[in-house]
Amino acid sequence: MTELLRVEGLAKHYPIRRGVLRRHVGDVRAVDGLDFGMATGETLSLVGESGCGKSTTGRMIARLLAPSGGRIVFDGRDISGLSGKALSPLRREVQFMFQDPYASLSPRMTAHDIIAEPLRLQGTYRQNGAARVTELLDMVGLSRQHADRYAHEFSGGQRQRVGLARALAPGPRLLVLDEPVSALDVSIQAQIVNQLRQLQRELGLAYLFISHDLSIVRHVSHRIAVMYLGRIVEIGPRARIFSAPEHPYTRALLSATPVADPARRDERRRITLQGDVPSPSDPPSGCRFRTRCWKARDICANEEPKLVARQEDGHLSACHFPEGTLSSGEDITPGPSQGAGGTVEKKEARAWPEG
Ligand SMILES: Nc1ncnc2c1ncn2[C@@H]1O[C@H](COP(=O)(O)OP(=O)(O)OP(=O)(O)O)[C@@H](O)[C@H]1O
Ligand code: SF4
Ligand SMILES: [Mg+2]
């Protein structure tokens, strides 16, 4: 597959200013050095707890936000430093879809106006705009009768379809989808997710799919990147992440997702992480996860683990003691007896419906 996007050392630091003189006293390191690539037509999911930097990453890639460090290379071109008019061609290629696209739009606009707006901005509406809007409505599973309706006349799922049609209007190659279905009922989530997968097959779109719901992520992803406190701690093919996670944080996240096969439910116990996520303005030394990790040793405080591959299958993780490298008692059973770690309980299952 052709590489569409490459991100190197991507960072976003927000300065913290105090006092009358607004002195610079530190930085919120929202995103703190990411490296990954994306292929044409692929779905890479970004997962992790609230505040780990998923949206900030997505907004930088769509260039709604300027990075404070690193490089974003889209289709061979460095887009990190572009601004103003120089960003216009990129706006066509990379689109960002919000959790609630309508929240930022006027309630006085019809679906037609909303979908047509990017075409008007692009200057292509005059040519065949009305026909293109009808085509886009059809692509997202709506009919031309929906074109004249206003936001309040649509259900949540339909609103999301209108948002999707708007994002597709300029003919992008990459969509950044930030929690696109998390506000919807589970049955509607499945419909939208299946629509996204169909569009991906038809149009060869790449998706950067941001979510903290691993049931959905399992359904949509080709690869998954797990973020913790502004960094990627594990990245790899979906099957490897779900069947053989290497990082303790990934294990903890996965333990909270349902297991479809009832025979396997007892295999996976829920790990409830203790303690809060540390502040991104003062991350722990060494491994950032060490204050919540049941496997932490001295080296974890002194040396930051690098994101490394243990096999040549594109699966990388950043841990001094990845899964299976400690003796079984230390490795498998997190619990209060092991200090800062987590507690274990049987997990409750919630199945993700096939649509
Ligand atoms: N404009 C800003 N100024 C200062 N800090 C910010 C700003 N925007 C985001 N942050 C901080 O950056 C960190 C990452 O935020 P971000 O919204 O990217 O997280 P997220 O992973 O998308 O979380 P969620 O799952 O809740 O959407 C958070 O600690 C957040 O408080
Ligand atoms: S074992 Fe050490 S390096 Fe690995 S996640 Fe835990 S604290 Fe981090
Ligand atoms: Mg977010």
Side-chain angles (χ1 to χ4, degrees):
M1 275 202 263
T2 335
E3 187 167 82
L4 185 65
L5 177 82
R6 173 133 300 273
V7 159
E8 292 165 3
L10 184 65
K12 184 70 189 178
H13 293 181
Y14 292 102
I16 305 169
R17 299 188 187 278
R18 297 250 162 80
V20 201
L21 298 175
R22 310 292 297 148
R23 243 174 5 100
H24 181 199
V25 294
D27 293 291
V28 176
R29 302 192 209 168
V31 173
D32 205 17
L34 304 188
D35 297 282
F36 64 86
M38 278 184 73
T40 301
E42 133 170 283
T43 300
L44 173 69
S45 290
L46 280 187
V47 305
E49 283 163 295
S50 184
C52 69
K54 305 181 295 296
S55 296
T56 307
T57 303
R59 294 170 74 88
M60 284 193 285
I61 287 170
R63 284 304 327 269
L64 300 176
L65 200 59
S68 49
R71 272 172 21 112
I72 304 169
V73 179
F74 181 80
D75 199 20
R77 185 171 179 216
D78 188 343
I79 59 160
S80 350
L82 299 182
S83 60
K85 278 201 169 159
L87 277 171
S88 301
L90 182 79
R91 300 268 177 250
R92 267 172 239 149
E93 307 262 25
V94 184
Q95 282 283 305
F96 189 96
M97 196 174 131
F98 298 88
Q99 183 178 341
D100 181 5
Y102 264 91
S104 57
L105 297 164
S106 162
R108 284 186 293 276
M109 287 171 92
T110 63
H112 181 100
D113 297 337
I114 287 164
I115 300 166
E117 193 174 56
L119 301 173
R120 290 203 165 97
L121 288 172
Q122 210 172 281
T124 56
Y125 186 80
R126 279 193 194 169
Q127 293 152 29
N128 59 352
R132 175 80 176 134
V133 171
T134 306
E135 182 191 22
L136 286 159
L137 283 167
D138 184 52
M139 277 161 70
V140 300
L142 295 171
S143 70
R144 63 180 65 196
Q145 280 75 39
H146 290 109
D148 298 324
R149 291 203 199 159
Y150 294 91
H152 69 271
E153 297 177 278
F154 285 115
S155 67
Q158 286 173 330
R159 279 213 288 269
Q160 211 55 333
R161 287 177 194 271
V162 175
L164 182 58
R166 177 185 164 95
L168 292 175
R173 288 196 284 164
L174 170 64
L175 281 191
V176 178
L177 302 157
D178 193 355
E179 305 275 5
V181 295
S182 54
L184 306 174
D185 291 347
V186 173
S187 61
I188 310 295
Q189 287 183 345
Q191 289 171 15
I192 301 285
V193 159
N194 288 325
Q195 183 83 61
L196 285 168
R197 292 173 71 188
Q198 188 189 328
L199 286 166
Q200 181 170 59
R201 283 193 297 273
E202 288 170 7
L203 305 173
L205 291 167
Y207 295 144
L208 183 65
F209 192 92
I210 297 172
S211 178
H212 53 253
D213 187 335
L214 284 164
S215 309
I216 299 174
V217 164
R218 187 205 286 267
H219 202 66
V220 300
S221 318
H222 296 109
R223 288 188 308 135
I224 296 167
V226 182
M227 286 185 74
Y228 187 78
L229 219 51
R231 292 265 170 92
I232 290 176
V233 297
E234 183 157 8
I235 182 167
R238 174 190 58 175
R240 292 280 298 158
I241 298 286
F242 274 93
S243 66
E246 292 179 352
H247 198 282
Y249 181 61
T250 311
R251 266 186 65 197
L253 284 185
L254 288 178
S255 77
T257 62
V259 178
D261 179 359
R264 293 190 50 222
R265 278 192 191 142
D266 276 348
E267 284 174 25
R268 203 198 282 161
R269 302 273 176 127
R270 184 166 186 147
I271 303 165
T272 307
L273 288 173
Q274 304 291 296
D276 294 328
V277 181
S279 164
S281 59
D282 186 22
S285 65
C287 173
R288 293 178 181 207
F289 185 57
R290 71 177 167 81
T291 53
R292 301 167 84 199
C293 182
W294 59 94
K295 300 199 317 188
R297 302 285 190 280
D298 288 349
I299 186 178
C300 304
N302 301 325
E303 218 174 278
E304 181 166 4
K306 299 218 165 18
L307 199 56
V308 291
R310 286 170 182 85
Q311 293 176 42
E312 287 189 8
D313 58 357
H315 184 187
L316 294 87
S317 61
C319 174
H320 292 304
F321 306 105
E323 189 75 343
T325 56
L326 293 177
S327 64
S328 60
E330 295 168 301
D331 203 15
I332 289 168
T333 316
S337 61
Q338 272 137 355
T343 54
V344 183
E345 61 191 58
K346 267 197 177 172
K347 58 169 299 321
E348 295 155 25
R350 175 176 77 79
W352 166 256
E354 285 292 330

